[in-house]
Amino acid sequence: MEKKRCLFCDQIVPIGREDGYDLYTGCYCSPDGSYGLHRDSYDPYSVLSYQIKHLMFPVISAYIRELTDCGETVRLTIDDLEGIRNSPRVPVTIEDKGIRLLQFFYRHSGGPDEAVVLQQLPKSYNLTYSPNLQELIYIIEKLKEERLLERMGSSFKLTAQGWKTAEESLGGKRLKPCFVLLPEDAETRHQWTEKVLPVIEQCGYEPRTSEKIPREKEADYNLRMITDSKLLIADLGAQGPEVFLAGGYALGRNIPVIWTARRDGDETTASPSEKIRPFVWETAEELASILKQRLTSEVFLGKVLGAAIREDGFFHVPSGNGDRNFSSFSASNTS
């Protein structure tokens, strides 16, 4: 298996290939997953000045780790450098960096006082977007002094107050898992990651995205992810018949499904059934706005389910863009 050095954490790891991207698996940027860097961007990143590398590579590593830890797909090119530098997702103050660490332990534990073992602590300062280990240790000690975090060696626990603080920072409640079946092309997936998934998170869901895996394993992987989810968002540009299998499986388990389809000029991804009436979108910004409106609507939250239920056991909510744009999802579970 081919190996390559990750530019952002300096670890040599196995790589795969996908649509012009090298996929780095298991490096410190994504210990439990992978991220992609376009092959044409490796050299432009590697020849950046020392000052830019020293400033930005720890931030990029942290950006990758946070997104992949939240289940998001990360595909980078050299054009993303300025976007990450100016991204509102990147914390600046010590207080905000401490919150990111609390959120990490919140995602990985079931409640207060539940231990989370942090492997490779000396290489984990990207959890707080810190430039070095010293700042991470300072943040940990600060959180301990504030009685938000307890530490014993490599084992960490959120206190009751730490749990509450993390929860409030995420909008006052624990994010519900949401599985997102994305289109296959890398550019569209990148647009979803940058513009759409953060909005889904703002609406109280933790988006977990479909990954590129062998075709024969796709169905089993998707069904396993759906089983643990509270919502499925499926774009009709995703993996062929598997997307419809996934939607039917979710509906059979009373998991809400929101369908989307991209319009390219006068062409829209076709739906094989009149019961699948997707929200049609042209830009990622438009789709983000549509999903935000739907996920925060009274109808989706179940306040007017009775008026929307039909004989087929589903309710169909107009998107406000005409009869061709509908979202279909199960009526019996919208939490």
Side-chain angles (χ1 to χ4, degrees), residues 115-132:
V116 176
V117 177
L118 186 57
Q119 304 289 352
Q120 296 289 343
L121 179 62
K123 301 295 184 179
S124 295
Y125 51 88
N126 54 8
L127 288 174
T128 52
Y129 287 78
S130 295
N132 50 53

Side-chain angles (χ1 to χ4, degrees), residues 62-296:
Y63 183 86
I64 295 168
R65 183 158 189 179
E66 182 175 31
L67 266 63
T68 57
D69 190 65
C70 290
E72 299 185 28
T73 299
V74 176
R75 299 291 182 266
L76 299 178
T77 70
I78 189 63
D79 295 333
D80 293 307
L81 179 62
E82 287 303 312
I84 295 174
R85 187 202 302 268
N86 300 312
S87 173
R89 303 184 72 150
V90 176
V92 177
T93 67
I94 290 294
E95 289 71 20
D96 287 343
K97 292 179 178 184
I99 290 294
R100 296 303 173 87
L101 187 60
L102 295 180
Q103 290 175 352
F104 172 82
F105 291 126
Y106 182 86
R107 288 194 299 269
H108 288 265
S109 61
D113 299 319
E114 181 175 309
V116 176
V117 177
L118 186 57
Q119 304 289 352
Q120 296 289 343
L121 179 62
K123 301 295 184 179
S124 295
Y125 51 88
N126 54 8
L127 288 174
T128 52
Y129 287 78
S130 295
N132 50 53
L133 177 61
Q134 288 75 16
E135 184 176 275
L136 171 62
I137 297 300
Y138 173 79
I139 292 171
I140 290 173
E141 293 303 315
K142 185 174 183 292
L143 294 174
K144 287 171 58 181
E145 291 176 3
E146 295 170 353
R147 298 185 179 181
L148 301 175
L149 186 67
E150 296 178 357
R151 176 191 177 188
M152 182 174 292
S154 60
S155 179
F156 295 81
K157 297 179 182 179
L158 288 177
T159 65
Q161 184 58 44
W163 179 268
K164 181 181 179 181
T165 300
E167 190 171 56
E168 290 176 348
S169 73
L170 294 167
K173 57 184 178 180
R174 190 175 180 87
L175 298 180
K176 297 182 285 289
C178 164
F179 186 49
V180 184
L181 280 168
L182 296 179
E184 292 187 318
D185 69 280
E187 176 59 28
T188 304
R189 294 174 73 92
H190 177 72
Q191 292 177 18
W192 274 75
T193 298
E194 287 295 307
K195 304 293 185 179
V196 181
L197 300 187
V199 171
I200 296 173
E201 185 173 327
Q202 291 170 13
C203 294
Y205 290 88
E206 179 186 343
R208 303 169 179 175
T209 59
S210 53
E211 297 291 343
K212 282 281 190 179
I213 57 177
R215 177 69 68 178
E216 65 272 12
K217 297 181 179 180
E218 278 183 5
D220 288 342
Y221 173 83
N222 291 345
L223 300 187
R224 187 168 61 252
M225 295 296 292
I226 292 168
T227 299
D228 296 328
S229 298
K230 297 295 185 182
L231 171 67
L232 172 65
I233 298 176
D235 193 272
L236 296 184
Q239 313 107 308
E242 285 80 6
V243 69
F244 305 113
L245 172 62
Y249 180 76
L251 293 172
R253 297 182 65 88
N254 294 325
I255 295 172
V257 178
I258 294 178
W259 302 95
T260 67
R262 186 172 193 175
R263 183 191 296 113
D264 186 7
D266 295 329
E267 298 293 326
T268 302
T269 306
S271 169
S273 170
E274 63 178 12
K275 290 185 179 181
I276 299 177
R277 300 176 182 178
F279 288 114
V280 178
W281 59 281
E282 293 185 4
T283 67
E285 291 82 0
E286 178 187 15
L287 177 59
S289 177
I290 291 171
L291 290 178
K292 182 176 182 179
Q293 182 181 14
R294 179 54 52 219
L295 293 174
T296 58

Side-chain angles (χ1 to χ4, degrees), residues 7-8 43-61 78 80-85 131:
L7 293 172
F8 310 119
D43 288 340
Y45 272 111
S46 66
V47 298
L48 290 171
S49 69
Y50 171 80
Q51 182 179 7
I52 294 177
K53 289 180 181 179
H54 181 73
L55 176 67
M56 285 303 303
F57 280 14
V59 174
I60 295 173
S61 177
I78 189 63
D80 293 307
L81 179 62
E82 287 303 312
I84 295 174
R85 187 202 302 268

